[in-house]
Amino acid sequence: MMFNGSDHERATIASFIVTRKQERYLGFLAKPQHRKKLTARLAHFKDLDPRFVAAIPPSQQGAPDIARILRLKGAPDLCWIISEDRRLDGSTLELSSALAKVVGYGMGTFLSCIPGKLAYFEDEDQRFILQR
């Protein structure tokens, strides 16, 4: 099944962000000139819905380990990126390549694997698997 970027973005916000912030963030993504209002917040992001956040064990926080975890949960080869890193934001990359560019760089980023079902999130402070 193929998904486009807006499918990934809407589903990521609707599934993994606290309800009180969803409409605001969807509004930012709906207008390209306002997108940075969301991506700039990702560095120290506090609006993840804790019900769908899973910690990654400290011994498995490298990109290859995170890729393995995501693949075991059904992640396909490609993921959609929402990131404060403008070079990556709004693009599709192969999962392992995306993780290699994101993990440990401290740039707030979502990698949407299965829209609304499976994603990875990293910011300056933490790394999480997001799953519903």
Side-chain angles (χ1 to χ4, degrees):
M1 183 175 259
M2 293 294 297
F3 299 100
N4 64 36
S6 64
D7 291 335
H8 278 278
E9 292 179 354
R10 283 192 306 273
T12 297
I13 301 299
S15 296
F16 303 122
I17 304 299
V18 292
T19 304
R20 63 185 164 73
K21 296 286 189 158
Q22 290 177 10
E23 189 174 330
R24 179 178 175 92
Y25 291 160
L26 287 169
F28 290 159
L29 291 174
K31 296 182 179 170
Q33 67 269 32
H34 295 296
R35 185 180 184 90
K36 188 159 175 42
K37 291 179 181 179
L38 171 61
T39 60
R41 294 171 188 258
L42 297 179
H44 298 284
F45 199 65
K46 305 296 183 220
D47 296 325
L48 293 175
D49 187 328
R51 296 175 297 169
F52 308 110
V53 173
I56 299 169
S59 64
Q60 296 178 21
Q61 293 215 0
D65 291 317
I66 295 168
R68 184 181 50 75
I69 292 167
L70 289 167
R71 288 195 194 288
L72 287 171
K73 293 179 178 293
D77 291 335
L78 299 176
C79 62
W80 179 261
I81 303 171
I82 303 169
S83 181
E84 70 173 309
D85 184 338
R86 283 191 227 147
R87 296 168 300 168
L88 299 174
D89 184 51
S91 65
T92 299
L93 274 179
E94 192 277 325
L95 181 61
S96 295
S97 297
L99 286 163
K101 293 175 186 286
V102 169
V103 173
Y105 288 91
M107 298 292 277
T109 302
F110 284 97
L111 301 181
S112 175
C113 301
I114 302 171
K117 303 287 184 206
L118 181 65
Y120 169 75
F121 176 76
E122 173 169 329
D123 67 9
E124 290 184 14
D125 308 311
Q126 56 209 351
R127 295 178 190 148
F128 295 121
I129 301 294
L130 307 175
Q131 186 172 20
R132 284 187 79 137

mmCIF file of all heavy atoms in Angstrom, residues 7-40:
data_model
loop_
_atom_site.group_PDB
_atom_site.id
_atom_site.type_symbol
_atom_site.label_atom_id
_atom_site.label_comp_id
_atom_site.label_asym_id
_atom_site.label_seq_id
_atom_site.Cartn_x
_atom_site.Cartn_y
_atom_site.Cartn_z
ATOM 1 N N ASP A 7 -0.422 11.976 4.005
ATOM 2 C CA ASP A 7 -1.021 10.867 4.764
ATOM 3 C C ASP A 7 -0.193 10.595 6.019
ATOM 4 O O ASP A 7 -0.729 10.451 7.115
ATOM 5 C CB ASP A 7 -1.056 9.573 3.935
ATOM 6 C CG ASP A 7 -2.009 9.602 2.767
ATOM 7 O OD1 ASP A 7 -2.986 10.380 2.796
ATOM 8 O OD2 ASP A 7 -1.779 8.830 1.808
ATOM 9 N N HIS A 8 1.112 10.498 5.827
ATOM 10 C CA HIS A 8 2.015 10.234 6.952
ATOM 11 C C HIS A 8 1.917 11.352 7.990
ATOM 12 O O HIS A 8 1.835 11.087 9.191
ATOM 13 C CB HIS A 8 3.466 10.131 6.462
ATOM 14 C CG HIS A 8 3.831 8.804 5.913
ATOM 15 N ND1 HIS A 8 4.187 7.738 6.701
ATOM 16 C CD2 HIS A 8 3.909 8.364 4.634
ATOM 17 C CE1 HIS A 8 4.483 6.693 5.939
ATOM 18 N NE2 HIS A 8 4.316 7.050 4.678
ATOM 19 N N GLU A 9 1.939 12.584 7.533
ATOM 20 C CA GLU A 9 1.953 13.714 8.464
ATOM 21 C C GLU A 9 0.663 13.817 9.264
ATOM 22 O O GLU A 9 0.702 13.948 10.486
ATOM 23 C CB GLU A 9 2.253 15.005 7.703
ATOM 24 C CG GLU A 9 3.673 14.997 7.193
ATOM 25 C CD GLU A 9 4.057 16.224 6.398
ATOM 26 O OE1 GLU A 9 3.192 17.084 6.117
ATOM 27 O OE2 GLU A 9 5.247 16.323 6.056
ATOM 28 N N ARG A 10 -0.471 13.736 8.587
ATOM 29 C CA ARG A 10 -1.758 13.804 9.300
ATOM 30 C C ARG A 10 -1.882 12.658 10.296
ATOM 31 O O ARG A 10 -2.307 12.854 11.431
ATOM 32 C CB ARG A 10 -2.917 13.775 8.308
ATOM 33 C CG ARG A 10 -3.156 15.101 7.602
ATOM 34 C CD ARG A 10 -4.488 15.130 6.849
ATOM 35 N NE ARG A 10 -4.653 14.019 5.922
ATOM 36 C CZ ARG A 10 -4.240 14.011 4.669
ATOM 37 N NH1 ARG A 10 -3.630 15.080 4.164
ATOM 38 N NH2 ARG A 10 -4.433 12.964 3.883
ATOM 39 N N ALA A 11 -1.510 11.457 9.875
ATOM 40 C CA ALA A 11 -1.630 10.293 10.750
ATOM 41 C C ALA A 11 -0.660 10.373 11.931
ATOM 42 O O ALA A 11 -1.014 9.978 13.048
ATOM 43 C CB ALA A 11 -1.392 9.015 9.945
ATOM 44 N N THR A 12 0.533 10.883 11.718
ATOM 45 C CA THR A 12 1.501 11.027 12.815
ATOM 46 C C THR A 12 0.961 11.976 13.874
ATOM 47 O O THR A 12 0.992 11.660 15.072
ATOM 48 C CB THR A 12 2.861 11.525 12.279
ATOM 49 O OG1 THR A 12 3.387 10.538 11.387
ATOM 50 C CG2 THR A 12 3.851 11.774 13.404
ATOM 51 N N ILE A 13 0.453 13.115 13.450
ATOM 52 C CA ILE A 13 -0.101 14.091 14.399
ATOM 53 C C ILE A 13 -1.323 13.503 15.105
ATOM 54 O O ILE A 13 -1.436 13.551 16.330
ATOM 55 C CB ILE A 13 -0.475 15.406 13.687
ATOM 56 C CG1 ILE A 13 0.734 16.041 13.001
ATOM 57 C CG2 ILE A 13 -1.147 16.381 14.650
ATOM 58 C CD1 ILE A 13 1.880 16.434 13.883
ATOM 59 N N ALA A 14 -2.234 12.921 14.346
ATOM 60 C CA ALA A 14 -3.475 12.401 14.922
ATOM 61 C C ALA A 14 -3.240 11.222 15.865
ATOM 62 O O ALA A 14 -3.998 11.030 16.815
ATOM 63 C CB ALA A 14 -4.432 11.990 13.807
ATOM 64 N N SER A 15 -2.197 10.458 15.642
ATOM 65 C CA SER A 15 -1.969 9.245 16.433
ATOM 66 C C SER A 15 -1.007 9.410 17.601
ATOM 67 O O SER A 15 -1.150 8.725 18.605
ATOM 68 C CB SER A 15 -1.431 8.131 15.528
ATOM 69 O OG SER A 15 -2.388 7.785 14.566
ATOM 70 N N PHE A 16 -0.023 10.284 17.464
ATOM 71 C CA PHE A 16 1.056 10.306 18.450
ATOM 72 C C PHE A 16 1.214 11.614 19.220
ATOM 73 O O PHE A 16 2.063 11.717 20.093
ATOM 74 C CB PHE A 16 2.380 9.939 17.782
ATOM 75 C CG PHE A 16 2.346 8.590 17.104
ATOM 76 C CD1 PHE A 16 2.624 8.456 15.763
ATOM 77 C CD2 PHE A 16 2.012 7.453 17.828
ATOM 78 C CE1 PHE A 16 2.589 7.221 15.131
ATOM 79 C CE2 PHE A 16 1.966 6.206 17.212
ATOM 80 C CZ PHE A 16 2.259 6.087 15.866
ATOM 81 N N ILE A 17 0.407 12.623 18.903
ATOM 82 C CA ILE A 17 0.481 13.922 19.572
ATOM 83 C C ILE A 17 -0.719 14.063 20.508
ATOM 84 O O ILE A 17 -1.815 13.619 20.174
ATOM 85 C CB ILE A 17 0.469 15.067 18.527
ATOM 86 C CG1 ILE A 17 1.597 14.889 17.513
ATOM 87 C CG2 ILE A 17 0.538 16.437 19.202
ATOM 88 C CD1 ILE A 17 2.989 14.896 18.064
ATOM 89 N N VAL A 18 -0.510 14.693 21.660
ATOM 90 C CA VAL A 18 -1.620 14.888 22.595
ATOM 91 C C VAL A 18 -2.758 15.629 21.891
ATOM 92 O O VAL A 18 -2.535 16.523 21.068
ATOM 93 C CB VAL A 18 -1.179 15.638 23.874
ATOM 94 C CG1 VAL A 18 -0.233 14.776 24.710
ATOM 95 C CG2 VAL A 18 -0.539 16.969 23.549
ATOM 96 N N THR A 19 -3.979 15.242 22.228
ATOM 97 C CA THR A 19 -5.179 15.736 21.547
ATOM 98 C C THR A 19 -5.259 17.256 21.509
ATOM 99 O O THR A 19 -5.585 17.846 20.482
ATOM 100 C CB THR A 19 -6.435 15.159 22.228
ATOM 101 O OG1 THR A 19 -6.317 13.737 22.229
ATOM 102 C CG2 THR A 19 -7.693 15.556 21.487
ATOM 103 N N ARG A 20 -4.922 17.923 22.614
ATOM 104 C CA ARG A 20 -5.076 19.374 22.685
ATOM 105 C C ARG A 20 -4.168 20.135 21.724
ATOM 106 O O ARG A 20 -4.393 21.316 21.451
ATOM 107 C CB ARG A 20 -4.891 19.868 24.121
ATOM 108 C CG ARG A 20 -3.514 19.625 24.674
ATOM 109 C CD ARG A 20 -3.401 20.010 26.158
ATOM 110 N NE ARG A 20 -2.227 19.456 26.768
ATOM 111 C CZ ARG A 20 -0.992 19.876 26.552
ATOM 112 N NH1 ARG A 20 -0.776 20.897 25.752
ATOM 113 N NH2 ARG A 20 0.023 19.304 27.147
ATOM 114 N N LYS A 21 -3.149 19.489 21.174
ATOM 115 C CA LYS A 21 -2.220 20.149 20.243
ATOM 116 C C LYS A 21 -2.410 19.730 18.784
ATOM 117 O O LYS A 21 -1.830 20.323 17.876
ATOM 118 C CB LYS A 21 -0.773 19.841 20.646
ATOM 119 C CG LYS A 21 -0.360 20.389 21.985
ATOM 120 C CD LYS A 21 -0.150 21.872 21.906
ATOM 121 C CE LYS A 21 0.477 22.365 23.206
ATOM 122 N NZ LYS A 21 1.149 23.614 23.037
ATOM 123 N N GLN A 22 -3.206 18.714 18.537
ATOM 124 C CA GLN A 22 -3.317 18.159 17.186
ATOM 125 C C GLN A 22 -3.803 19.172 16.155
ATOM 126 O O GLN A 22 -3.184 19.323 15.098
ATOM 127 C CB GLN A 22 -4.244 16.941 17.188
ATOM 128 C CG GLN A 22 -3.649 15.757 17.884
ATOM 129 C CD GLN A 22 -4.606 14.584 17.950
ATOM 130 O OE1 GLN A 22 -5.660 14.577 17.328
ATOM 131 N NE2 GLN A 22 -4.226 13.571 18.710
ATOM 132 N N GLU A 23 -4.873 19.851 16.442
ATOM 133 C CA GLU A 23 -5.439 20.790 15.462
ATOM 134 C C GLU A 23 -4.432 21.886 15.116
ATOM 135 O O GLU A 23 -4.261 22.255 13.948
ATOM 136 C CB GLU A 23 -6.734 21.400 16.012
ATOM 137 C CG GLU A 23 -7.486 22.208 14.985
ATOM 138 C CD GLU A 23 -8.845 22.696 15.490
ATOM 139 O OE1 GLU A 23 -9.461 22.014 16.325
ATOM 140 O OE2 GLU A 23 -9.256 23.780 15.045
ATOM 141 N N ARG A 24 -3.758 22.388 16.129
ATOM 142 C CA ARG A 24 -2.761 23.445 15.909
ATOM 143 C C ARG A 24 -1.630 22.952 14.995
ATOM 144 O O ARG A 24 -1.255 23.624 14.036
ATOM 145 C CB ARG A 24 -2.205 23.889 17.267
ATOM 146 C CG ARG A 24 -1.141 24.950 17.189
ATOM 147 C CD ARG A 24 -0.718 25.330 18.613
ATOM 148 N NE ARG A 24 0.372 26.242 18.623
ATOM 149 C CZ ARG A 24 0.250 27.561 18.646
ATOM 150 N NH1 ARG A 24 -0.939 28.114 18.657
ATOM 151 N NH2 ARG A 24 1.316 28.319 18.653
ATOM 152 N N TYR A 25 -1.108 21.766 15.280
ATOM 153 C CA TYR A 25 0.000 21.241 14.490
ATOM 154 C C TYR A 25 -0.434 20.871 13.070
ATOM 155 O O TYR A 25 0.310 21.076 12.113
ATOM 156 C CB TYR A 25 0.652 20.057 15.191
ATOM 157 C CG TYR A 25 1.397 20.445 16.448
ATOM 158 C CD1 TYR A 25 1.702 19.508 17.415
ATOM 159 C CD2 TYR A 25 1.791 21.758 16.694
ATOM 160 C CE1 TYR A 25 2.386 19.859 18.577
ATOM 161 C CE2 TYR A 25 2.471 22.118 17.847
ATOM 162 C CZ TYR A 25 2.765 21.161 18.779
ATOM 163 O OH TYR A 25 3.444 21.508 19.914
ATOM 164 N N LEU A 26 -1.634 20.332 12.929
ATOM 165 C CA LEU A 26 -2.141 20.041 11.585
ATOM 166 C C LEU A 26 -2.278 21.328 10.776
ATOM 167 O O LEU A 26 -1.994 21.349 9.573
ATOM 168 C CB LEU A 26 -3.479 19.306 11.663
ATOM 169 C CG LEU A 26 -3.388 17.846 12.110
ATOM 170 C CD1 LEU A 26 -4.773 17.296 12.415
ATOM 171 C CD2 LEU A 26 -2.671 16.995 11.073
ATOM 172 N N GLY A 27 -2.673 22.412 11.441
ATOM 173 C CA GLY A 27 -2.756 23.713 10.787
ATOM 174 C C GLY A 27 -1.401 24.193 10.305
ATOM 175 O O GLY A 27 -1.279 24.742 9.200
ATOM 176 N N PHE A 28 -0.368 23.986 11.114
ATOM 177 C CA PHE A 28 0.982 24.375 10.704
ATOM 178 C C PHE A 28 1.411 23.596 9.455
ATOM 179 O O PHE A 28 2.005 24.151 8.531
ATOM 180 C CB PHE A 28 1.999 24.105 11.812
ATOM 181 C CG PHE A 28 1.890 24.995 13.013
ATOM 182 C CD1 PHE A 28 2.437 24.594 14.230
ATOM 183 C CD2 PHE A 28 1.251 26.226 12.973
ATOM 184 C CE1 PHE A 28 2.364 25.397 15.354
ATOM 185 C CE2 PHE A 28 1.167 27.038 14.091
ATOM 186 C CZ PHE A 28 1.724 26.616 15.288
ATOM 187 N N LEU A 29 1.117 22.297 9.434
ATOM 188 C CA LEU A 29 1.535 21.467 8.303
ATOM 189 C C LEU A 29 0.727 21.737 7.042
ATOM 190 O O LEU A 29 1.206 21.499 5.939
ATOM 191 C CB LEU A 29 1.441 19.985 8.671
ATOM 192 C CG LEU A 29 2.452 19.510 9.711
ATOM 193 C CD1 LEU A 29 2.173 18.070 10.102
ATOM 194 C CD2 LEU A 29 3.886 19.662 9.207
ATOM 195 N N ALA A 30 -0.483 22.242 7.207
ATOM 196 C CA ALA A 30 -1.352 22.491 6.054
ATOM 197 C C ALA A 30 -0.858 23.645 5.188
ATOM 198 O O ALA A 30 -1.193 23.719 4.002
ATOM 199 C CB ALA A 30 -2.776 22.771 6.531
ATOM 200 N N LYS A 31 -0.075 24.538 5.762
ATOM 201 C CA LYS A 31 0.415 25.700 5.017
ATOM 202 C C LYS A 31 1.951 25.691 5.028
ATOM 203 O O LYS A 31 2.562 25.838 6.085
ATOM 204 C CB LYS A 31 -0.100 26.990 5.658
ATOM 205 C CG LYS A 31 -1.611 27.094 5.591
ATOM 206 C CD LYS A 31 -2.106 28.382 6.175
ATOM 207 C CE LYS A 31 -3.616 28.423 6.055
ATOM 208 N NZ LYS A 31 -4.187 29.510 6.797
ATOM 209 N N PRO A 32 2.552 25.539 3.859
ATOM 210 C CA PRO A 32 4.012 25.456 3.799
ATOM 211 C C PRO A 32 4.728 26.603 4.523
ATOM 212 O O PRO A 32 5.767 26.389 5.149
ATOM 213 C CB PRO A 32 4.315 25.479 2.298
ATOM 214 C CG PRO A 32 3.076 24.925 1.674
ATOM 215 C CD PRO A 32 1.940 25.390 2.545
ATOM 216 N N GLN A 33 4.153 27.802 4.481
ATOM 217 C CA GLN A 33 4.819 28.937 5.135
ATOM 218 C C GLN A 33 4.782 28.829 6.667
ATOM 219 O O GLN A 33 5.521 29.534 7.342
ATOM 220 C CB GLN A 33 4.219 30.270 4.656
ATOM 221 C CG GLN A 33 2.778 30.507 5.077
ATOM 222 C CD GLN A 33 1.752 30.008 4.068
ATOM 223 O OE1 GLN A 33 1.973 29.028 3.370
ATOM 224 N NE2 GLN A 33 0.621 30.686 4.002
ATOM 225 N N HIS A 34 3.931 27.941 7.208
ATOM 226 C CA HIS A 34 3.838 27.777 8.667
ATOM 227 C C HIS A 34 4.476 26.483 9.166
ATOM 228 O O HIS A 34 4.531 26.244 10.365
ATOM 229 C CB HIS A 34 2.374 27.812 9.117
ATOM 230 C CG HIS A 34 1.722 29.134 8.889
ATOM 231 N ND1 HIS A 34 2.127 30.282 9.520
ATOM 232 C CD2 HIS A 34 0.705 29.478 8.067
ATOM 233 C CE1 HIS A 34 1.374 31.287 9.099
ATOM 234 N NE2 HIS A 34 0.512 30.836 8.213
ATOM 235 N N ARG A 35 4.958 25.664 8.256
ATOM 236 C CA ARG A 35 5.536 24.373 8.628
ATOM 237 C C ARG A 35 6.646 24.517 9.671
ATOM 238 O O ARG A 35 6.749 23.735 10.603
ATOM 239 C CB ARG A 35 6.060 23.675 7.376
ATOM 240 C CG ARG A 35 6.571 22.285 7.640
ATOM 241 C CD ARG A 35 7.068 21.643 6.345
ATOM 242 N NE ARG A 35 7.463 20.289 6.597
ATOM 243 C CZ ARG A 35 6.639 19.251 6.506
ATOM 244 N NH1 ARG A 35 5.393 19.416 6.135
ATOM 245 N NH2 ARG A 35 7.071 18.036 6.764
ATOM 246 N N LYS A 36 7.477 25.539 9.527
ATOM 247 C CA LYS A 36 8.600 25.738 10.449
ATOM 248 C C LYS A 36 8.123 25.975 11.885
ATOM 249 O O LYS A 36 8.853 25.697 12.834
ATOM 250 C CB LYS A 36 9.484 26.884 9.968
ATOM 251 C CG LYS A 36 10.771 27.005 10.768
ATOM 252 C CD LYS A 36 11.813 27.765 10.008
ATOM 253 C CE LYS A 36 13.069 28.026 10.776
ATOM 254 N NZ LYS A 36 13.593 26.942 11.578
ATOM 255 N N LYS A 37 6.887 26.452 12.061
ATOM 256 C CA LYS A 37 6.366 26.640 13.411
ATOM 257 C C LYS A 37 6.272 25.304 14.143
ATOM 258 O O LYS A 37 6.426 25.253 15.356
ATOM 259 C CB LYS A 37 4.997 27.320 13.384
ATOM 260 C CG LYS A 37 5.059 28.766 12.943
ATOM 261 C CD LYS A 37 3.679 29.384 12.921
ATOM 262 C CE LYS A 37 3.734 30.827 12.461
ATOM 263 N NZ LYS A 37 2.407 31.435 12.412
ATOM 264 N N LEU A 38 6.024 24.234 13.410
ATOM 265 C CA LEU A 38 6.040 22.904 14.016
ATOM 266 C C LEU A 38 7.457 22.359 14.106
ATOM 267 O O LEU A 38 7.896 21.954 15.167
ATOM 268 C CB LEU A 38 5.167 21.917 13.231
ATOM 269 C CG LEU A 38 5.306 20.447 13.670
ATOM 270 C CD1 LEU A 38 4.906 20.260 15.128
ATOM 271 C CD2 LEU A 38 4.513 19.545 12.768
ATOM 272 N N THR A 39 8.178 22.362 13.000
ATOM 273 C CA THR A 39 9.496 21.720 13.002
ATOM 274 C C THR A 39 10.458 22.380 13.990
ATOM 275 O O THR A 39 11.282 21.703 14.592
ATOM 276 C CB THR A 39 10.110 21.674 11.587
ATOM 277 O OG1 THR A 39 10.253 22.998 11.080
ATOM 278 C CG2 THR A 39 9.257 20.828 10.653
ATOM 279 N N ALA A 40 10.319 23.684 14.224
ATOM 280 C CA ALA A 40 11.178 24.368 15.197
ATOM 281 C C ALA A 40 10.917 23.881 16.622
ATOM 282 O O ALA A 40 11.801 23.956 17.482
ATOM 283 C CB ALA A 40 10.969 25.876 15.116
#
